[in-house]
Amino acid sequence: MRITAVTCVKNEGSFLLEWIAFHRLLGVTDFLFYSNDCTDGTDQLLDALQARGIVRHLPNPAEGRNYQMEALKDAKGQDMIAGADWVWVADVDEFLNIHVGDGTIPALIDACGNPQAISVNFQFFANDDVDAYADRPVIEQFTRSHNPDLWCGETAIEVKTLVRADFPLKYYGAHRPFFREKLPKGKRPTWTDASGRPVQHRFLVAANPRRIRRFPAAGSRKFATLNHYALRSLDSYLVKNDRGDVNRENRAFDDTYWRERNDAAWEDTSIQKYLPPLRSEMAALMADAEIATLHAEAVAAHIAKRDELLAQPEYQQMQAQLRAASKLPPQEQALIEALGLEPVT
């Protein structure tokens, strides 16, 4: 089975090897990376990995600000996609946690009945008061999240989607594929959640703009969850804020994004079953002296960027604001205030 992972990166060099090693454990056979404007050696590390046949690395073709969608449009025409049995579109802070069989993507596909698409709900992992960046696996460091059935007062939580080669594709979205318009009912793709149940009709046909890329998470994660480490350490979050993201070139800072993803009410260490083989896979990659050196340089660049940012008053203020921010999501805080309740401590 050929499984191709597609992702966009900018200044993610210190996190690349863990993500690649982890996805190789899941059964990903091919990696298609798009990078843009890297200053931490991400592009050099990807080039070295490409020279060894581990990934394919292309410059992001975007001319405007929508880096991810332009890359996905380009990816559709790449032979690595055309030759794949399945395509997985994800970011370097997202880890597919499979709860069935041997913990691989083929096991998830079998458990879901081999549909044409499988959408897996996010679980957002909190910073959990980790200030300092450490060159250790992310899945080892961060173990607390919101209640996985409820996020920011919403039962519907975003998804990412595995797509089979025969899906009647119009285009890949970052969270889900879209099929061709006016498909007869009998021609619509078979599409399940991560419990193997058919997705809701309105999600399937993208009929509800508010639910175009999400559906209720309760009962939907029997076979898999998508662990999203959007915050990581406070150091790394400051660097991430400086970098911007793949969809917005210049994002004005406030603490809403942080607070929405920093709910540490739930402990979940289930992904750590992958840690022993992950360490072995990462060690195998770093047994190559050049790869190890480039990784170390990316780590040093990440730390140097942190130091550079914290020499600036605005980033000192940002750091203090995030440390002091409420652990309650803004929506939950507003509800407590509206009801005149005291938050539980």
Side-chain angles (χ1 to χ4, degrees), residues 103-322:
T104 64
I105 290 172
L108 172 61
I109 292 166
D110 287 345
C112 290
N114 195 26
Q116 290 168 283
I118 303 169
S119 288
V120 186
N121 291 97
F122 279 115
Q123 186 171 338
F124 297 101
F125 279 74
N127 160 264
D128 205 17
D129 297 323
V130 177
D131 266 15
Y133 164 77
D135 183 20
R136 292 169 42 220
V138 168
I139 68 167
E140 178 182 33
Q141 296 181 66
F142 304 98
T143 62
R144 303 198 69 88
S145 76
H146 59 97
N147 180 326
D149 288 340
L150 189 68
W151 179 59
C152 292
E154 294 281 343
T155 59
I157 298 176
E158 291 183 340
V159 301
K160 286 289 179 84
T161 305
L162 275 162
V163 185
R164 205 170 78 186
D166 61 349
F167 187 95
L169 186 71
K170 181 181 179 184
Y171 64 92
Y172 291 109
H175 291 257
R176 53 163 298 162
F178 293 85
F179 55 78
R180 297 189 293 272
E181 288 131 348
K182 299 181 181 177
L183 271 183
K185 186 175 181 180
K187 298 287 187 180
R188 289 172 184 164
T190 54
W191 194 333
T192 74
D193 64 17
S195 290
R197 309 176 306 179
V199 296
Q200 296 86 348
H201 173 76
R202 289 177 68 80
F203 175 87
L204 174 72
V205 299
N208 185 346
R210 291 193 68 247
R211 296 286 178 90
I212 201 169
R213 63 188 198 181
R214 56 182 175 159
F215 51 73
S220 297
R221 305 180 316 279
K222 181 178 179 181
F223 304 137
T225 308
L226 184 58
N227 288 21
H228 191 190
Y229 302 92
L231 306 184
R232 303 177 179 136
S233 67
L234 180 52
D235 284 350
S236 293
Y237 189 75
L238 296 175
V239 174
K240 176 178 179 175
N241 191 81
D242 173 72
R243 179 200 73 197
D245 67 26
V246 291
N247 293 316
R248 287 168 288 180
E249 198 168 12
N250 295 295
R251 180 175 61 201
F253 174 76
D254 66 46
D255 62 14
T256 300
Y257 184 94
W258 173 273
R259 289 180 59 198
E260 286 179 341
R261 289 156 182 80
N262 200 28
D263 181 350
W266 196 271
E267 185 174 37
D268 184 349
T269 60
S270 61
I271 200 169
Q272 292 187 357
K273 63 181 176 287
Y274 293 104
L275 269 176
L278 175 65
R279 289 193 178 100
S280 296
E281 188 72 26
M282 291 180 69
L285 288 171
M286 292 221 276
D288 183 306
E290 183 183 5
I291 299 299
T293 296
L294 289 169
H295 171 77
E297 290 174 353
V299 167
H302 192 75
I303 294 169
K305 174 56 73 172
R306 184 269 322 268
D307 293 343
E308 174 193 327
L309 295 174
L310 286 177
Q312 303 171 31
E314 58 267 39
Y315 273 90
Q316 295 168 13
Q317 181 180 353
M318 187 186 302
Q319 182 191 57
Q321 180 179 341
L322 293 173

